[in-house]
Amino acid sequence: MPRKEGQKRKLLVLLEILARETDEKHPLSVPQLVEKLQEHGIEAERKSVYGDLNTLNSLPGAPYEIVQLRGRGGGYYMTDVLFELAELKLLVDAVYASKFITARKSKTLIDKLGQFTSRYRQAELDRKVLVSGRIKSTDEKILYTVDALHTAITAGEQVQFKYCDWNLQKKMTPRHDGQLYQVSPWVLVWENGNYYLIAYTEGRLKHYRVDKMQNVHQVAGSKREGAAEYAAFDVNTYMQQMFGMFNGPLKKVTLLCENRFAGAMIDRFGTGPILLPCEDGEHFTMTAEIQVSPQFFGWVAGFGTGVVVAGPPEVRAEMKKTLDRLQELYR
C-alpha cells in the first residue's frame, strides 16, 4: 500500500499544531487533530495519530509534555514549550520597558516571543498598556551597535566610535567635531532602560551610553587594555554610587533619614550600608559611597525634609549652595 502524501513531515506538523493550537483550556481530540492535519495537506488515520502522540511524548530531552484530558470535551494538549507563560510575560515587559528598542522592533520581537506558546496564550502577551507615555527610541541601529560591542568584548579588542549629543533640532551631533573615541570595552550594563558600555580609557574605567555611540567598529589587531583595573572593578557598586549615570567625585556621604524612608534607601543602595537608629526613634543615619553630582542633590531634594545630607561638611555645603541657587531662580 503506497504511503499517504505528507507522511514524512507529519510528526513535525503535528508538533506545530499541538504547540500553537492547544493548551490546558483548549485540548484537541484525535478526530480534530486528523482534521488539522488534513488542513495542512496531510492524510492521517486516527490509529496512526495515537501512535504519533506516543512517539512525540517518548522523544528523549523534549522540552514539552503532551497531556491527555479524559472525559467530555477532553483531548490532547501540549504543556509549555521552552518558556512558561509567566516567563514570556516577563520578557515582553522587558522589551516594552526598553527605551532603546523602537516601537516597531518591539512589536516584531514580541510577535516572535509569541511563537513559543499557543495562539490563545499569545493574546495574553498583548500588554500595550505598558508603553503608554513611554519614550521609545526611533533608531534601530542600536541593536547592531550592541551586537558589535558584544563581539568586540568576546574578541578582546578595542573599539572606535563617535560619541554624540542631542541638539535643539532633535538630531544627534558628534562631540568634539566628530573626533573618534577609542576605548577597551569590558561589559555592557542596563540601567534605567538604557544600555551603557563600561570601557577602559585614559588610565581608568568610564561609561558611555550606547544609544549615543555611532559607527562602532572593532580596531583590528588592537589588544584590549585595563585587565587589572577591571578585575578590581565591581559593576554593582559602581552603579549604586552614581545617580542618573552622571559622574562626580567619590565621597563617603552620611544621610539623616526619617524611618519611613528605610525602604527607599535599601532600594537605592542595597542591604550593604548599616541603618543606625537615632535616639529620637524617628530617624536613622546611613553612610554610602556616592559619586556626588547635581543629580544626587536633586535625588535628595526629592524627599523634601525627610532626607538630609549630614556629612561630610563639603558635601553638605555643596547641597546648600545648590538649594540656594534654586531658591534664587524661583524668587
Side-chain angles (χ1 to χ4, degrees):
M1 179 177 178
R3 291 175 61 85
K4 293 182 179 179
E5 187 177 351
Q7 295 304 299
K8 289 184 177 180
R9 60 187 182 93
K10 184 171 72 165
L11 279 178
L12 291 176
V13 173
L14 181 59
L15 192 63
E16 182 181 358
I17 292 170
L18 290 164
R20 296 291 293 151
E21 302 288 336
T22 71
D23 57 38
E24 64 271 18
K25 294 180 180 179
H26 303 89
L28 289 176
S29 65
V30 169
Q32 289 172 320
L33 289 172
V34 169
E35 290 180 12
K36 293 284 184 182
L37 287 168
Q38 287 174 344
E39 291 172 7
H40 287 79
I42 298 173
E43 296 294 327
E45 298 176 352
R46 292 189 187 186
K47 185 176 181 181
S48 70
V49 172
Y50 283 113
D52 293 335
L53 291 170
N54 290 331
T55 298
L56 291 173
N57 245 350
S58 63
L59 291 175
Y64 59 80
E65 181 184 1
I66 298 168
V67 179
Q68 181 181 13
L69 284 179
R70 299 185 183 278
R72 190 177 184 86
Y76 293 85
Y77 72 90
M78 182 181 286
T79 59
D80 292 312
V81 181
L82 295 179
F83 295 102
E84 296 178 10
L85 183 60
E87 293 172 330
L88 287 172
K89 288 179 177 178
L90 186 65
L91 293 172
V92 165
D93 287 352
V95 171
Y96 272 136
S98 301
K99 291 187 288 186
F100 72 90
I101 303 178
T102 66
R104 191 180 76 86
K105 182 59 72 173
S106 293
K107 183 181 184 307
T108 300
L109 290 172
I110 289 163
D111 286 345
K112 288 180 179 179
L113 287 171
Q115 302 302 308
F116 289 100
T117 190
S118 72
R119 62 184 178 91
Y120 306 103
R121 287 179 166 180
Q122 185 175 1
E124 296 185 44
L125 300 180
D126 186 9
R127 297 151 75 84
K128 291 178 183 175
V129 64
L130 294 174
V131 298
S132 177
R134 286 227 175 118
I135 297 173
K136 299 285 279 183
S137 171
T138 58
D139 185 4
E140 292 189 2
K141 292 194 294 291
I142 187 174
L143 297 178
Y144 305 104
T145 300
V146 170
D147 185 58
L149 291 171
H150 275 302
T151 301
I153 290 170
T154 302
E157 292 190 333
Q158 297 181 26
V159 293
Q160 285 185 339
F161 56 89
K162 292 181 180 180
Y163 203 50
C164 304
D165 290 308
W166 289 103
N167 63 17
L168 296 181
Q169 289 71 45
K170 301 179 183 178
K171 293 182 179 180
M172 280 282 195
T173 57
R175 291 184 184 179
H176 308 307
D177 298 320
Q179 170 190 321
L180 283 176
Y181 287 61
Q182 183 164 329
V183 303
S184 297
W186 281 99
V187 68
L188 286 163
V189 295
W190 193 3
E191 179 73 9
N192 294 326
N194 292 308
Y195 260 126
Y196 292 86
L197 172 70
I198 305 295
Y200 180 82
T201 182
E202 299 175 347
R204 64 191 181 98
L205 288 161
K206 297 173 62 176
H207 68 269
Y208 301 88
R209 215 170 100 172
V210 173
D211 62 315
K212 293 185 175 183
M213 300 166 67
Q214 290 185 351
N215 305 327
V216 176
H217 61 275
Q218 287 177 238
V219 181
S222 62
K223 187 177 180 182
R224 184 172 56 183
E225 299 175 345
E229 287 79 4
Y230 183 70
F233 182 73
D234 188 316
V235 174
N236 292 327
T237 299
Y238 182 78
M239 304 301 285
Q240 286 177 355
Q241 291 170 351
M242 237 176 300
F243 286 78
M245 294 304 289
F246 281 82
N247 286 311
L250 186 63
K251 302 275 187 178
K252 276 193 173 183
V253 178
T254 299
L255 300 175
L256 174 66
C257 313
E258 293 179 3
N259 288 344
R260 61 196 175 106
F261 291 122
M265 297 302 115
I266 292 171
D267 287 343
R268 185 62 186 78
F269 299 104
T271 56
I274 298 173
L275 309 185
L276 293 173
C278 297
E279 291 184 0
D280 64 5
E282 297 180 358
H283 294 80
F284 67 90
T285 61
M286 60 150 286
T287 301
E289 286 194 326
I290 293 167
Q291 293 201 29
V292 179
S293 68
Q295 282 66 33
F296 164 65
F297 295 135
W299 178 79
V300 172
F303 292 100
T305 58
V307 177
V308 177
V309 176
E314 66 271 18
V315 177
R316 183 177 172 87
E318 189 61 35
M319 179 77 191
K320 184 178 183 304
K321 284 182 184 178
T322 299
L323 295 174
D324 288 343
R325 287 193 290 267
L326 288 172
Q327 187 177 21
E328 285 293 324
L329 286 173
Y330 287 95
R331 276 187 176 179

